[in-house]
Amino acid sequence: DAGVIQSPRHEVTEMGQEVTLRCKPISGHNSLFWYRQTMMRGLELLIYFNNNVPIDDSGMPEDRFSAKMPNASFSTLKIQPSEPRDSAVYFCASSLFSGMVYTGELFFGEGSRLTVL
Amino acid sequence: RKEVEQDPGPFNVPEGATVAFNCTYSNSASQSFFWYRQDCRKEPKLLMSVYSSGNEDGRFTAQLNRASQYISLLIRDSKLSDSATYLCVVVRANTGTASKLTFGTGTRLQVTL
């Protein structure tokens, strides 16, 4: 079975440019998570969706970041305009979530490594 | 205080050694706990869940201490292939919505010959 698929794997861009990261979750999973990982701050949850609906976006750093999930098989994370401090690895993860408490496993994509010059 | 805290390490141990990591959490309402493993420049992957009664999977043992609010991971007979970063994950129910998962920043283990 295909795992979580992210694109692009690597992106180098200049400050001020728009960046769009894409994610295809595992078929049948109803929860999707966007994380950002840096050496200094570790893995930070940016936003997560349940059944395509954003549940918690309190981790989104500021208005420059936006995320969408138009259907169950696709999500995007957009940064506009990008800044050097946005350089990080961005992970998408999906899971099958039921009920109020998460008890399952998060499946991560291979990540998108973003460098903003 | 951070919601989940781990000693970043690195823990440098010889092959065959036993090593243990702790992870403390601040919210007593936390309900589920996991250990993930992350290899260098790779994505995190689930290593094991942590059950209230403690659980073992081969050379790995996970334990939960609710009174002191920490979880632990013990690795016996360390192998070179165990070298990785170990992330603890704490889950609690969000008020009125789905759960909130919080990752620790990870403990790096380096097993040497």
Side-chain angles (χ1 to χ4, degrees), chain A residues 33 35 37 41-43 45 48 55-56 91 97 100-106 108-110 113, chain B residues 31-32 34 36 38 41-44 46 87 91 93-94 96-101 103-105:
Chain A
F33 304 76
Y35 284 90
Q37 187 173 40
R41 301 171 70 97
L43 263 173
L45 177 65
Y48 78 92
I55 300 299
D56 185 350
F91 286 105
F97 175 84
M100 288 295 294
V101 178
Y102 175 79
T103 56
E105 177 178 354
L106 276 180
F108 283 80
E110 294 182 303
R113 186 173 295 272
Chain B
Q31 296 166 302
S32 305
F34 304 87
Y36 276 68
Q38 186 174 23
R41 300 179 79 84
K42 297 285 191 180
E43 72 275 21
L46 179 67
L87 304 162
V91 184
N94 240 354
T97 63
S99 299
K100 180 177 170 69
L101 285 80
F103 278 79
T105 51

Side-chain angles (χ1 to χ4, degrees), chain A residues 36-44 85-89, chain B residues 105:
Chain A
R36 176 172 68 177
Q37 187 173 40
T38 60
M39 287 291 291
M40 291 297 293
R41 301 171 70 97
L43 263 173
E44 300 175 280
R85 60 190 167 125
D86 301 331
S87 298
V89 180
Chain B
T105 51

